[in-house]
Amino acid sequence: MPFLGQDWRSPGWRWVKTEDGWKRCEPFRPALEDGNNQLNDVSHTVIISGDDENEEVYSTEDCEFAAKKRKKDHFRNNTDSQCFYREKWIYVHKESTKERHGYCTLGEAFNRLDFSSAIQDIRRFNYVVKLLQLIAKSQLTSLSGAAQKNYFNILDKIVQKVMEDQYNPRLIKDLLQDLSSTLCILIRGVGKSVLVGNINIWICRLETILLWQQQLKNLQMNKQVNNGLTLSDLPLHMLNNILYRFSDGWDIITLGQVTPTLYMLSEDRQLWKKLCQYHFAEKQFCRHLILSEKGHIDWKLMYFALQKYYPIKEQYGDTLHFCRHCSILFWKDTGHPCTASDPNTCLMPVSPQHFIDLFKF
């Protein structure tokens, strides 16, 4: 009976996307071509072992088996010549079929989509942090042991990146706050809720989170020494255009604390009105009108009030994409082996919440 793998329709080759289309990837051929030729020669010879009295003649099939075994041993031992091609996509399936068996999990997705490398890309950093924050709020109890390990390894790398580069510390502070609050509730009600793993491990993780919070609290921003132009040297209309590019109200407030000029620009009513119109609908404005002492709408207070009741639009430099034709989740710039005639029509951007929903069973 033939052996059936996870997908019996697949020939088992790995494919790489090029300008001319998808081509088969054979990473071992250049480095081991000479060794393979020698091993192939062995498979066509007759091996005689032992003394003249006890000599054994192996058949061609035995020789081929020995040659294949030597090839495998050569691949395992010769680490310098290994060059593995790793796809950064995952097939999302929620039930067993004739072609595929088993289920994909969050832990498997962390590995296959390589989130550890994704946080080094400034376009994907906010996306990964938001994803971890949503998991911290609602999915901690459903994480397997492998998923927990991957989750906290990625979290550790995020904290180290923020400590080294001082990049977006407010975002990671919010993540750690949500994570510590959730863990405190779950640890207190250990008899009522289910946490996979020993309770002492989770207590150690909570202590690590508290340590990270203290380190971020004591984080000192490095003062940049630059004798050239600074932000304050830009014309007012350019500074105003920069503020209008922000989609987060807290970023506007933070930038307004740099200089008195930026503070004046950050208090512009029209700026906050545009921000409210970008994130919320007009029907939502009518339910939460806030007027100033002069009788005008206070758009700044309106933004933060509406933020409590309605979700704001999420904006990321790069997101995961889902192919409806192949049921594959992947980073758009890495691609995937799509069989559709027009792959672009099958792609759908995946928000962090949608990502979590894909792995709920």
Side-chain angles (χ1 to χ4, degrees):
M1 180 177 179
F3 171 78
L4 298 181
Q6 288 192 356
D7 189 348
W8 54 268
R9 300 170 300 181
S10 173
W13 295 102
R14 297 178 182 269
W15 297 83
V16 60
K17 190 174 184 180
T18 65
E19 295 180 356
D20 300 328
W22 289 92
K23 293 186 177 181
R24 195 170 67 193
C25 180
E26 298 179 357
F28 300 110
R29 174 177 290 181
L32 303 176
E33 186 174 0
D34 296 337
N36 290 346
N37 291 336
Q38 294 176 3
L39 295 174
N40 290 332
D41 293 340
V42 174
S43 63
H44 297 287
T45 60
V46 178
I47 302 176
I48 301 177
S49 62
D51 299 330
D52 294 338
E53 298 178 357
N54 301 320
E55 63 181 21
E56 296 182 13
V57 180
Y58 291 90
S59 63
T60 306
E61 290 77 7
D62 294 332
C63 295
E64 290 178 356
F65 176 79
K68 290 180 180 179
K69 187 176 185 305
R70 290 180 62 186
K71 285 183 182 180
K72 290 181 179 180
D73 294 338
H74 186 67
F75 290 150
R76 292 194 187 104
N77 298 329
N78 192 357
T79 56
D80 294 336
S81 62
Q82 288 185 356
C83 180
F84 296 102
Y85 178 80
R86 182 181 181 184
E87 307 95 338
K88 294 184 180 180
W89 52 264
I90 184 172
Y91 180 86
V92 180
H93 50 109
K94 294 188 176 183
E95 58 183 7
S96 296
T97 63
K98 183 178 181 181
E99 294 82 7
R100 292 181 177 271
H101 62 83
Y103 300 85
C104 52
T105 62
L106 273 175
E108 186 179 359
F110 284 152
N111 281 335
R112 293 293 299 273
L113 296 173
D114 198 9
F115 282 174
S116 296
S117 299
I119 62 174
Q120 303 302 326
D121 190 335
I122 194 173
R123 300 171 303 163
R124 301 173 180 173
F125 182 85
N126 292 359
Y127 183 89
V128 177
V129 172
K130 180 63 176 179
L131 176 60
L132 296 187
Q133 188 173 17
L134 292 176
I135 293 175
K137 290 181 178 180
S138 61
Q139 297 296 312
L140 275 182
T141 56
S142 63
L143 292 181
S144 64
Q148 293 173 20
K149 185 177 180 180
N150 293 334
Y151 181 93
F152 282 94
N153 284 339
I154 296 170
L155 186 59
D156 181 38
K157 292 181 180 180
I158 290 176
V159 174
Q160 298 307 318
K161 178 178 175 58
V162 174
M163 296 296 294
E164 294 173 1
D165 302 341
Q166 291 88 41
Y167 177 73
N168 210 342
R170 179 174 58 84
L171 192 63
I172 188 62
K173 286 180 181 178
D174 293 341
L175 166 59
L176 293 178
Q177 181 61 40
D178 292 337
L179 184 57
S180 61
S181 300
T182 304
L183 276 182
C184 286
I185 295 173
L186 293 176
I187 290 175
R188 288 177 192 150
V190 64
K192 302 177 183 179
S193 60
V194 178
L195 275 174
V196 178
N198 191 293
I199 188 63
N200 294 324
I201 296 177
W202 285 103
I203 293 176
C204 291
R205 287 171 176 167
L206 179 58
E207 292 175 351
T208 303
I209 293 170
L210 297 177
L211 178 62
W212 285 339
Q213 287 180 309
Q214 188 63 35
Q215 291 175 349
L216 290 173
K217 184 178 180 180
N218 300 331
L219 179 63
Q220 298 292 330
M221 294 294 180
N222 296 330
K223 188 175 181 180
Q224 300 292 333
V225 178
N226 190 357
N227 297 326
L229 290 175
T230 63
L231 191 64
S232 304
D233 298 325
L234 296 176
L236 287 179
H237 72 277
M238 293 185 67
L239 294 175
N240 200 39
N241 287 337
I242 292 174
L243 287 170
Y244 270 83
R245 297 295 186 275
F246 287 176
S247 61
D248 191 334
W250 285 109
D251 291 336
I252 295 176
I253 292 177
T254 302
L255 186 59
Q257 297 173 350
V258 176
T259 63
T261 302
L262 287 171
Y263 175 77
M264 177 191 66
L265 294 175
S266 66
E267 293 294 318
D268 182 24
R269 290 182 63 252
Q270 192 66 22
L271 171 66
W272 290 98
K273 180 180 179 180
K274 291 289 185 182
L275 192 63
C276 287
Q277 291 175 343
Y278 173 76
H279 287 289
F280 311 105
E282 292 185 5
K283 293 182 179 180
Q284 298 170 343
F285 296 159
C286 300
R287 298 174 184 174
H288 304 280
L289 278 177
I290 299 178
L291 301 178
S292 63
E293 296 179 355
K294 298 180 180 181
H296 301 297
I297 297 177
D298 193 331
W299 291 105
K300 182 178 179 181
L301 292 180
M302 280 273 293
Y303 170 80
F304 290 104
L306 292 170
Q307 194 179 30
K308 297 178 181 179
Y309 297 99
Y310 310 103
I312 62 176
K313 288 184 179 179
E314 297 178 354
Q315 191 177 45
Y316 304 103
D318 189 18
T319 65
L320 289 170
H321 281 69
F322 181 75
C323 180
R324 293 187 294 268
H325 178 78
C326 307
S327 297
I328 286 179
L329 192 65
F330 64 100
W331 295 106
K332 190 174 182 180
D333 58 352
T334 58
H336 74 290
C338 187
T339 58
S341 56
D342 189 3
N344 292 330
T345 61
C346 306
L347 302 185
M348 178 180 64
V350 177
S351 67
Q353 183 60 55
H354 186 197
F355 176 89
I356 294 177
D357 294 338
L358 287 174
F359 294 93
K360 282 183 179 179
F361 305 114

